[in-house]
Amino acid sequence: MAQDMDTLLTNKKPLGLCLSGGGALGFAHIGVLQALEDNGIFPQCLSGSSMGAIVATLYAAGYSPEDMMKLIKDDRLFRITKLITLKPAFWKSGWSDHSTVRTLVKDLIPHNSFEKLSKKLFICVANLNTAKWEIKHSGKDLDFWVSASASIPGVFEALKLGDSFYVDGGVFNNFPAQPLKDECENIIGVDVLPLFKPKRIKKPADSIVFSIRAVQSVNSSEGRSLCQFIFEPGVVKKFNEFRFDAYQKIHDQGYKEAVEYIKRNPEILNLKAKE
């Protein structure tokens, strides 16, 4: 760990939490959040890419892990058919636009403002014009940046602002803990796409998936190095990024493995909220 236990015992700054991208695998983030809260650990400063940005945004807006699961069960978050509005592929920059995602964010967070969130939030997006990742943390266009961060290339349209086009933050930084470095005393990370070695590759699609995961693992290394604790729910071993129908199983596995991690690393309990 980057810091000793004496440092961990003094929380002079907010506790940070970084959530990785990972599509449907990100439902494990909710399970980890539940396990943290059950142990009295409540992060106050959040960052995330892609699905991690969505979960981080809801948490920063005051939605509890239980609230999020209810939204999912009410078909508000998990059905890919409801989040994707198909458009003619040859006329758009992606198969789908962002109208449903943006409407959902504005419906759940009517003020649509970073500044009015109950917790500080940093959202990572990829700027295709500069080939760099950027962090967004202010303004009244929360829906735009959440949608941009979750804009899977080729699936969703790229979002344009000025002369720049923005897509999924995971393209350049799938684990954006960097903005938490100066804001937080300690950082907890949840990475649902740690480096995973394939046992076999049967078809070209497998090569594409594992290549993307390998790239994301590389661009996550800097952010991971900034964390004092990193949860790595093994959901990628059983599910893929598009198994939105398996939300409950993914959540439950995230929760179970988080509880086990806390038992193995009891020093994390030094980060419990002070009375």
Side-chain angles (χ1 to χ4, degrees):
M1 294 180 188
Q3 297 177 333
D4 59 28
M5 288 304 104
D6 289 337
T7 303
L8 287 171
L9 285 168
T10 57
N11 291 322
K12 297 179 180 179
K13 295 181 180 179
L15 174 61
L17 178 68
C18 179
L19 303 179
S20 75
L25 302 177
F27 290 128
H29 291 320
I30 305 174
V32 174
L33 274 170
Q34 185 65 66
L36 289 173
E37 289 199 351
D38 286 351
N39 283 276
I41 301 171
F42 295 85
Q44 300 95 38
C45 195
L46 291 297
S47 71
S49 277
S50 199
M51 188 62 169
I54 293 176
V55 175
T57 298
L58 292 175
Y59 194 67
Y63 287 92
S64 69
E66 296 98 328
D67 293 334
M68 293 185 216
M69 290 305 291
K70 186 177 186 306
L71 288 170
I72 295 168
K73 292 173 182 177
D74 289 343
D75 293 355
R76 300 292 295 282
L77 292 179
F78 88 90
R79 290 190 183 280
I80 193 68
T81 54
K82 292 187 178 182
L83 291 180
I84 292 181
T85 304
L86 294 179
K87 299 291 183 180
F90 292 107
W91 298 104
K92 296 289 182 178
S93 57
W95 284 98
S96 173
D97 67 17
H98 291 266
S99 59
T100 307
V101 177
R102 296 186 68 175
T103 299
L104 180 65
V105 172
K106 287 188 284 188
D107 179 37
L108 297 177
I109 310 173
H111 58 70
N112 201 31
S113 169
F114 280 89
E115 286 78 9
K116 292 184 179 181
L117 294 170
S118 59
K119 300 176 177 64
K120 196 158 188 178
L121 174 67
F122 298 93
I123 290 177
C124 183
V125 295
N127 186 326
L128 294 181
N129 295 66
T130 62
K132 295 179 180 180
W133 57 271
E134 298 177 5
I135 297 295
K136 304 301 176 182
H137 60 90
S138 64
K140 297 180 179 180
D141 46 8
L142 184 61
D143 67 308
F144 180 92
W145 294 118
V146 173
S147 297
S149 184
S151 180
I152 304 170
V155 176
F156 287 104
E157 294 177 3
L159 277 88
K160 184 178 182 182
L161 183 64
D163 295 326
S164 295
F165 288 94
Y166 294 93
V167 295
D168 195 309
V171 171
F172 298 136
N173 188 351
N174 201 49
F175 197 85
Q178 289 86 342
L180 301 177
K181 180 180 179 181
D182 295 329
E183 296 282 338
C184 304
E185 192 76 23
N186 300 287
I187 304 172
I188 295 172
V190 186
D191 191 352
V192 298
L193 280 176
L195 185 59
F196 176 59
K197 300 177 182 179
K199 294 182 178 179
R200 57 183 178 275
I201 294 179
K202 296 182 177 180
K203 51 187 181 296
D206 293 336
S207 297
I208 295 173
V209 170
F210 287 119
S211 295
I212 293 173
R213 289 178 181 174
V215 170
Q216 289 177 322
S217 177
V218 171
N219 72 33
S220 296
S221 60
E222 180 183 348
R224 286 173 58 94
S225 71
L226 299 176
C227 297
Q228 283 69 49
F229 299 94
I230 298 182
F231 292 80
E232 296 180 335
V235 288
V236 70
K237 298 176 182 179
K238 297 181 180 180
F239 308 97
N240 63 52
E241 292 85 333
F242 292 95
R243 283 298 308 276
F244 289 87
D245 62 307
Y247 69 91
Q248 188 68 59
K249 291 181 180 179
I250 294 172
H251 163 276
D252 292 349
Q253 185 175 342
Y255 178 82
K256 178 182 178 182
E257 293 191 21
V259 170
E260 294 171 351
Y261 179 93
I262 293 170
K263 289 180 179 178
R264 294 194 308 271
N265 299 273
E267 60 272 21
I268 195 174
L269 296 176
N270 291 327
L271 302 179
K272 291 176 66 172
K274 300 298 188 294
E275 296 295 336

